[in-house]
C-alpha cells in the first residue's frame, strides 16, 4: 500500500485534514485554496440570519407548538460584541411569554440561532423528534418550544425561570468550524435562573451529520435529564455515564460526501 | 486618585484598577466590561501615569480583595521579597527600561520571577510595544520536564492535538500518526474529548499510552477533561501522564470552571503518585485565556489582561509542564480582530515567562472573529522570535472538534526553517532514531514502509 492509499484508508475515520503532503515546509497549493474556501463559507454562515418558517413547520408536523422570542440584541454586529445582551430576553419577548408562563413544565426546549443558523436548520427538528419518545416514555411534561433569535446559551436561564421550568434544554448553533458549519450544541440546565454558571450545565456538542447522530444525542439528553430530575442538579457533579447503560457502542462517524 | 499632566491638561484616574484598565491597549472585552479608556488620548495619559507608579504599590494595594479571593491570597502570601529586592525601588517605567537592558540577563530574570506579582508584569506589559514584549520574553528561560525537556534556548515544542468530534479512537490515532510524521508531539499528545464520561476518557488515555510505549516516544499524553474526571480516572487505574485544567485569575472564574485550588493540589498529587515521568515530574497542563473572568462575570472591574496574568500565579503554584494561552479561542467580544489577538498573544507570553511559567500559545482564531491565516502568521513569527515554549499542531490547522483554526503541522515546520528552532533534545534524537528526520533535524521524505504508517494500516484494516 502506498502512502497515499494509507492516508485514504485512514480518512474513513476522520474529517481532519490528514496526509496533506507538503511543498517544502508549506502546505501544497490545492490545500491552501481549499482551506480558504472553507473559511469563506464559515464566515458567510456566521452572518446569515435564521429563517424560522421551516423550523416552525417541522415542529408543527410533530404536533408541537412554538413561540418566537428574541434576545435584547438588536443586530448581528452587536450580537458578536455584546454577549451580555444575548443572554437577556427583549421586553417584547417577556410580554409574549407571559401568556404561557406558569405551566411549570419538567422540560422547556429552546432552539437558539447562536453562531450558526445552518446548524439549527439542519439539526434542531430531527433532534427534538428523536427526543419525543423519551419524553413520552418518562412521562415528562413539555413546555412550548421557544425559537430564540440572537440567542446565547444563558438566554435559557431567564426564559426557563420565567416559564417556571424544572429543566431547560437549549439547542443552539455552535461556532462554525471549517469542516462543520452545521454543528448543534445541546445544553441542559436544572432549575434555570438568571446568573447560573457554565459549570452548572451539561453540554452535548457536535450534533450533526458526520458527528453525533440525532438519536444518540437524544439518548444522552434523556439520560442526563432523568438523572438531573432525580438528583436535582446539572453540571460538573453530574457526569455523563450514559454509555455505560448502552448495550452497544455508538457506530463510528459517518462519512460525509464531498 | 492618580493624575497625569500633558501640555497643561490633567487626566484623573480614581483608583489603581481604573488606571490599569485605561492604560491597556484597546480590546473589545474591556469595552464590553465598561472599563476601557474613553479615548486614545486618555489611553496614553493612563500609560504615562502608570509608568510613574512605583512597582511596590502592587504589594500594598490589591486589585481584587484579599479577604474574598483565594487567588489574591495566593499571590500575596507567596510573594518572595528577597527575589523582588533588585527591582523594588523602580517605577513601572524604569522596570521596562531595565527589562530591555543587558542587566536583565536570563539568569537575573530567573532569579526575579518569584519576586514579581502578576499585576507588576501586567502593568509593565501595558507600556511595552509588541517588539518589547518579544525582546524581554526572549531572555526568559522556563525549562520543564516529564519524559523530555521543554523550553531550552533555541528550541520549540509542539502539542499534537488530534481531536475528533465523537472521540473515534481510529480517527484520533490517524491524526496522531500524521502529527508524529511531521515531527510534532514533543510538548504533549493532548486530546480535547467530546465526552466527559470517565469510561470514554480512560479509553483515550490507554490508547495514547499504547502508542507512546509501542514506538518508545519521549513524550507524554493528556486528556483535557475536568480535573475531577482525571482524578477519578487515576482512581480507576488509568495510565495518566498529565492532569489538565482550565484556570483563571480570580476565585470566581475558577468557581465557574468548577475548580478550586485544593482540587488542583489533589490532581497534582494523584499524577505524582503514579511516578510516570522519566526525566522530571512536572505533571500539570493548564490552559488560560483573556476574557474568561468577564465571561464568568467574575472580573471585579479589572481589565482582562491583568486578570489573565493572575491566572499564571495560579499555574506556577503547581509546577506545570505546560501552560497554554488559548488566545483567540474566546471570540470577538473579547478580542475583536487579528490586531487584538496578536497583541494579547504577545502580552500573555511575556507575562507568563517573566513570572516563571512555561508559556506556550495556541495561536488561533474563530470563524466569528475578524481574523485569518495571515494574522496568525504574524503572531506565529513573533512568538517564535520571542522563544515560545510550545505551540499547537493540528492537521491542516482545522480543529474539527472545537471548531476553530490553530497552527498546522506545516506551520511549525515553516517556523523551524525560518528561525532554525530545534525540538526537545530527547524527541529530536527519537526522530533521527526512527528515521523521520536527518541529523540536522530536517524531515525526510515520507516512506510508505515506515512503522508509523504500518501502524496506520493496521488501524484501518
Amino acid at each position: 500500500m502506498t502512502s497515499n492509499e494509507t492516508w485514504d484508508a485512514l480518512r474513513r475515520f476522520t474529517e481532519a485534514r490528514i496526509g496533506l503532503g507538503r511543498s517544502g515546509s508549506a502546505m501544497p497549493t490545492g490545500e491552501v485554496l481549499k482551506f480558504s474556501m472553507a473559511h469563506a463559507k464559515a464566515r458567510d454562515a456566521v452572518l446569515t440570519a435564521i429563517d424560522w418558517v421551516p423550523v416552525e413547520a417541522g415542529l408543527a408536523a410533530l404536533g408541537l407548538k412554538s413561540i418566537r422570542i428574541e434576545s435584547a440584541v438588536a443586530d448581528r454586529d452587536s450580537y458578536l460584541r455584546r454577549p451580555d445582551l444575548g443572554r437577556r430576553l427583549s421586553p417584547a419577548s417577556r410580554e409574549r411569554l407571559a401568556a404561557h408562563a406558569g405551566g411549570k413544565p419538567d422540560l422547556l426546549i429552546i432552539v437558539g440561532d447562536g453562531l450558526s443558523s445552518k446548524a439549527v436548520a439542519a439539526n434542531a427538528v430531527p433532534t427534538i423528534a428523536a427526543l419525543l419518545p423519551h419524553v413520552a416514555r418518562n412521562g415528562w411534561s413539555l413546555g412550548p418550544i421557544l425559537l430564540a433569535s440572537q440567542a446565547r446559551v444563558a438566554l435559557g436561564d431567564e426564559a426557563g425561570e420565567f416559564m417556571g421550568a424544572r429543566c431547560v434544554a437549549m439547542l443552539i448553533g455552535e461556532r462554525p468550524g471549517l469542516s462543520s458549519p452545521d454543528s448543534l450544541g445541546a445544553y441542559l440546565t436544572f432549575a434555570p435562573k438568571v446568573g447560573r454558571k457554565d459549570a452548572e450545565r451539561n453540554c452535548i456538542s457536535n450534533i450533526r451529520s458526520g458527528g453525533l447522530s440525532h438519536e444518540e444525542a437524544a439518548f444522552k439528553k434523556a439520560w442526563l435529564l432523568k438523572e438531573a430530575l432525580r438528583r436535582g442538579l446539572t453540571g460538573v457533579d453530574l457526569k455523563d455515564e450514559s454509555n455505560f447503560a448502552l448495550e452497544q457502542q455508538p457506530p463510528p462517524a459517518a462519512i460525509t460526501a464531498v | 486618585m492618580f493624575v497625569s499632566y500633558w501640555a497643561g491638561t490633567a487626566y484623573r484616574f480614581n483608583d489603581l484598577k481604573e488606571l490599569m484598565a485605561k492604560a491597556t491597549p484597546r480590546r473589545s472585552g474591556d469595552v464590553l466590561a465598561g472599563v476601557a479608556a474613553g479615548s486614545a488620548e486618555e489611553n496614553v495619559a493612563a500609560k504615562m501615569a502608570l509608568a510613574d507608579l512605583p512597582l511596590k504599590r502592587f504589594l500594598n494595594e490589591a486589585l481584587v480583595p484579599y479577604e474574598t479571593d483565594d487567588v489574591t491570597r495566593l499571590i500575596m502570601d507567596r510573594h518572595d521579597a528577597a527575589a523582588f529586592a533588585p527591582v523594588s525601588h523602580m517605577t513601572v517605567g524604569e522596570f521596562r527600561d531595565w527589562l530591555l537592558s543587558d542587566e536583565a540577563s536570563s539568569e537575573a530574570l530567573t532569579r526575579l520571577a518569584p519576586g514579581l506579582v502578576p499585576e507588576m508584569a501586567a502593568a509593565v506589559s501595558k507600556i511595552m510595544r509588541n517588539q518589547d514584549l518579544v525582546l524581554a520574553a526572549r531572555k526568559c528561560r522556563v525549562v520543564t520536564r516529564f519524559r523530555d525537556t521543554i523550553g531550552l534556548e533555541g528550541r520549540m515544542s509542539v502539542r499534537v492535538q488530534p481531536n475528533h468530534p465523537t472521540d473515534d479512537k481510529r480517527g484520533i490515532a490517524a491524526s496522531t500518526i500524521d502529527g508524529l510524521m511531521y515531527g510534532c508531539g514533543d510538548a504533549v499528545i493532548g486530546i480535547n474529548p467530546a465526552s466527559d464520561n470517565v469510561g470514554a476518557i480512560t479509553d483515550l488515555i490507554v490508547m495514547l499510552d499504547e502508542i507512546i510505549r509501542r514506538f518508545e516516544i519521549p513524550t507524554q499524553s493528556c486528556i483535557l477533561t475536568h480535573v475531577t474526571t482525571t482524578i477519578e480516572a487515576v482512581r480507576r487505574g488509568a495510565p495518566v501522564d498529565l492532569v489538565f485544567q482550565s484556570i483563571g485569575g480570580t476565585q470566581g472564574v475558577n468557581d465557574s470552571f468548577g475548580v478550586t485550588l485544593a482540587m488542583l493540589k489533589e490532581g497534582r498529587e494523584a499524577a505524582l503518585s503514579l511516578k510516570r515521568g522519566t526525566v522530571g515530574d512536572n505533571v500539570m497542563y493548564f490552559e488560560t485565556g483573556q476574557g474568561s473572568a468577564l465571561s464568568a462575570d467574575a472580573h471585579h472591574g479589572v481589565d482582562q489582561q491583568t486578570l489573565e496574568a493572575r491566572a499564571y500565579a495560579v499555574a506556577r503554584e503547581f509546577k506545570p509542564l505546560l501552560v497554554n494561552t488559548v488566545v483567540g479561542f474566546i471570540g470577538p467580544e473579547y478580542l475583536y480582530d487579528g490586531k487584538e489577538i496578536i497583541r494579547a498573544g504577545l502580552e500573555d507570553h511575556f507575562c507568563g515567562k517573566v513570572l516563571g511559567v512555561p508559556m506556550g500559545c495556541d495561536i488561533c482564531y474563530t470563524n466569528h472573529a475578524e481574523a485569518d491565516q495571515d494574522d496568525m502568521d504574524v503572531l506565529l513569527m513573533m512568538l517564535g522570535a520571542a522563544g515560545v515554549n510550545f505551540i499547537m499542531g493540528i492537521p491542516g490547522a482545522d480543529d474539527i472538534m472545537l471548531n476553530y483554526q490553530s497552527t498546522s503541522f506545516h506551520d511549525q515546520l515553516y517556523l523551524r526553517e525560518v528561525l532554525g528552532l530545534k525540538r526537545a533534545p530527547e524527541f529530536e534524537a527519537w526522530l533521527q532514531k526512527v528515521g523521520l528526520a536527518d541529523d540536522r533535524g530536517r524531515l525526510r521524505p515520507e516512506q510508505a514502509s515506515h512503522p508509523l504508517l504500518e501502524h496506520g494500516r493496521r488501524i484501518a484494516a
Side-chain angles (χ1 to χ4, degrees):
Chain A
M1 203 187 258
T2 65
S3 282
N4 283 342
E5 287 164 346
T6 305
W7 290 119
D8 283 342
L10 289 171
R11 269 189 276 270
R12 285 186 290 136
F13 307 115
T14 181
E15 293 178 18
R17 293 166 198 255
I18 55 173
L20 300 184
R22 52 193 173 91
S23 306
S25 291
M27 240 184 249
T29 303
E31 295 299 335
V32 172
L33 293 175
K34 257 194 246 176
F35 182 101
S36 296
M37 179 56 88
H39 183 235
K41 282 176 183 285
R43 288 292 293 152
D44 289 345
V46 169
L47 302 171
T48 305
I50 183 120
D51 177 7
W52 288 121
V53 174
V55 179
E56 286 166 331
L59 293 174
L62 294 171
L64 296 172
K65 182 180 167 46
S66 58
I67 303 168
R68 288 195 203 187
I69 57 173
E70 310 84 35
S71 74
V73 159
D75 55 34
R76 207 62 184 157
D77 186 59
S78 42
Y79 177 78
L80 292 175
R81 286 183 180 270
R82 295 293 304 268
D84 53 331
L85 297 180
R87 297 181 189 122
R88 300 308 300 255
L89 287 170
S90 71
S93 296
R94 282 182 75 93
E95 277 175 32
R96 218 170 304 144
L97 285 181
H100 305 274
K104 303 200 185 308
D106 292 324
L107 178 63
L108 179 69
I109 298 175
I110 307 178
V111 181
D113 53 356
L115 285 165
S116 172
S117 49
K118 197 173 170 190
V120 172
N123 299 303
V125 173
T127 301
I128 292 170
L131 189 63
L132 287 180
H134 296 282
V135 172
R137 194 174 310 128
N138 288 286
W140 294 322
S141 60
L142 198 60
I145 314 292
L146 308 185
L147 306 178
S149 296
Q150 312 288 16
R152 299 269 170 183
V153 172
L155 184 74
D157 294 343
E158 183 175 347
E161 185 177 16
F162 194 74
M163 301 288 280
R166 292 182 71 197
C167 238
V168 66
M170 171 66 90
L171 309 181
I172 192 164
E174 296 182 328
R175 63 172 66 167
L178 294 192
S179 309
S180 55
D182 58 348
S183 176
L184 193 74
Y187 292 80
L188 192 69
T189 311
F190 182 80
K193 62 175 186 185
V194 173
R196 281 272 178 235
K197 292 177 175 173
D198 289 343
E200 296 175 299
R201 311 182 202 286
N202 289 87
C203 173
I204 299 168
S205 63
N206 275 292
I207 304 168
R208 65 184 175 92
S209 161
L212 197 66
S213 71
H214 304 129
E215 289 70 27
E216 201 188 343
F219 180 91
K220 281 174 178 289
K221 180 114 274 181
W223 188 91
L224 285 169
L225 181 58
K226 200 168 175 175
E227 289 299 303
L229 292 173
R230 185 174 71 81
R231 296 174 54 188
L233 58 86
T234 45
V236 293
D237 292 330
L238 175 59
K239 301 287 184 206
D240 173 16
E241 302 197 6
S242 59
N243 272 4
F244 290 158
L246 265 181
E247 288 182 9
Q248 257 178 302
Q249 285 296 310
I255 307 144
T256 306
V258 177
Chain B
M1 171 75 82
F2 299 84
V3 186
S4 71
Y5 298 93
W6 184 255
T9 305
Y11 304 87
R12 291 168 209 286
F13 306 96
N14 288 319
D15 57 18
L16 191 51
K17 70 182 173 189
E18 182 186 338
L19 181 66
M20 290 282 274
K22 291 193 166 173
T24 306
R26 191 175 176 84
R27 65 206 58 197
S28 54
D30 289 342
V31 175
L32 177 64
V35 301
S39 68
E41 191 177 312
E42 189 186 25
N43 178 230
V44 179
K47 283 180 166 60
M48 288 174 165
L50 186 59
D52 289 340
L53 191 79
L55 280 179
K56 267 187 191 147
R57 181 77 184 240
F58 291 106
L59 297 176
N60 304 325
E61 188 174 340
L63 297 181
V64 180
Y66 181 92
E67 295 71 22
T68 54
D69 189 277
D70 61 4
V71 177
T72 301
R73 290 198 290 277
L74 179 70
I75 291 167
M76 294 299 191
D77 297 352
R78 287 287 196 216
H79 181 250
D80 182 339
F84 179 56
V87 299
S88 61
H89 60 285
M90 293 182 190
T91 62
V92 172
E94 289 164 350
F95 185 44
R96 173 188 172 275
D97 292 330
W98 180 83
L99 281 170
L100 299 172
S101 74
D102 289 342
E103 217 179 303
S105 63
S106 293
E107 297 71 28
L109 287 164
T110 302
R111 283 193 302 272
L112 174 64
L116 293 180
V117 298
E119 289 82 355
M120 295 174 188
V124 73
S125 76
K126 293 177 194 301
I127 59 166
M128 291 166 83
R129 282 177 50 191
N130 284 2
Q131 65 165 249
D132 301 341
L133 297 171
V134 170
L135 192 64
R138 184 182 174 81
K139 296 193 282 184
C140 299
R141 194 111 299 119
V142 185
V143 179
T144 57
R145 297 175 176 86
F146 189 76
R147 288 198 193 99
D148 58 356
T149 309
I150 298 166
L152 295 169
E153 186 174 8
R155 295 180 184 270
M156 179 189 72
S157 296
V158 178
R159 165 187 167 192
V160 167
Q161 184 170 315
N163 296 343
H164 189 284
T166 58
D167 295 337
D168 182 283
K169 279 186 274 187
R170 288 169 298 185
I172 288 171
S175 292
T176 304
I177 291 168
D178 195 32
L180 291 168
M181 294 194 71
Y182 282 98
C184 297
D186 53 342
V188 64
I189 303 172
I191 303 169
N192 298 87
S195 165
D196 61 2
N197 173 317
V198 183
I201 297 293
T202 301
D203 283 354
L204 295 176
I205 295 170
V206 167
M207 185 203 85
L208 290 185
D209 183 53
E210 279 170 5
I211 292 177
I212 289 171
R213 281 191 295 119
R214 178 191 291 262
F215 295 100
E216 301 177 324
I217 311 170
T219 190
Q220 37 283 328
S221 73
C222 186
I223 311 299
L224 284 71
T225 189
H226 195 267
V227 60
T228 55
T229 307
T230 306
I231 291 170
E232 178 59 25
V234 170
R235 202 165 6 239
R236 293 187 187 187
V240 171
D241 288 343
L242 305 184
V243 175
F244 170 80
Q245 184 56 47
S246 292
I247 54 171
T250 67
Q251 184 172 343
V253 65
N254 288 325
D255 266 356
S256 82
F257 292 139
V259 65
T260 63
L261 300 178
M263 275 181 208
L264 296 177
K265 181 163 180 280
E266 188 188 344
R268 177 163 183 265
E269 283 164 0
L272 285 175
S273 75
L274 301 179
K275 295 186 168 53
R276 292 175 56 80
T278 52
V279 300
D281 62 357
N282 299 112
V283 296
M284 301 301 284
Y285 176 5
F286 293 118
E287 285 190 348
T288 66
Q290 290 189 27
S292 61
L294 175 59
S295 169
D297 197 19
H299 60 99
H300 300 270
V302 177
D303 69 89
Q304 66 185 32
Q305 190 255 333
T306 299
L307 293 177
E308 170 70 6
R310 284 167 53 98
Y312 308 150
V314 175
R316 72 176 170 180
E317 177 70 8
F318 301 100
K319 302 180 172 56
L321 184 75
L322 307 161
V323 177
N324 178 22
T325 171
V326 191
V327 64
F329 186 72
I330 193 160
E333 61 271 39
Y334 303 93
L335 296 167
Y336 188 70
D337 56 14
K339 183 180 170 73
E340 293 185 2
I341 292 170
I342 290 164
R343 173 74 199 178
L346 295 173
E347 289 165 347
D348 293 352
H349 178 253
F350 161 77
C351 287
K353 282 286 177 70
V354 81
L355 290 167
V357 167
M359 277 320 276
C361 183
D362 190 342
I363 297 163
C364 63
Y365 64 103
T366 60
N367 285 320
H368 61 319
E370 287 289 334
D372 62 18
Q373 295 302 102
D374 290 334
D375 297 306
M376 298 305 105
D377 288 347
V378 174
L379 182 54
L380 177 68
M381 192 69 195
M382 294 194 79
L383 282 174
V388 69
N389 276 28
F390 66 102
I391 61 172
M392 307 303 110
I394 296 176
D398 171 15
D399 189 311
I400 59 171
M401 147 71 190
L402 293 172
N403 293 338
Y404 76 121
Q405 284 86 256
S406 180
T407 41
S408 66
F409 302 140
H410 300 78
D411 288 329
Q412 57 89 32
L413 278 183
Y414 149 81
L415 206 57
R416 295 187 192 290
E417 182 169 345
V418 174
L419 297 178
L421 297 172
K422 304 286 186 201
R423 304 168 183 92
E426 299 87 349
F427 195 86
E428 197 86 63
W430 175 79
L431 285 177
Q432 285 172 36
K433 189 182 81 177
V434 299
L436 286 173
D438 65 21
D439 56 5
R440 291 180 308 143
R442 304 269 305 179
L443 282 192
R444 294 178 185 281
E446 192 171 279
Q447 301 289 326
S449 61
H450 194 276
L452 276 170
L453 272 183
E454 290 286 357
H455 187 61
R457 283 191 276 278
R458 270 196 301 278
I459 290 166

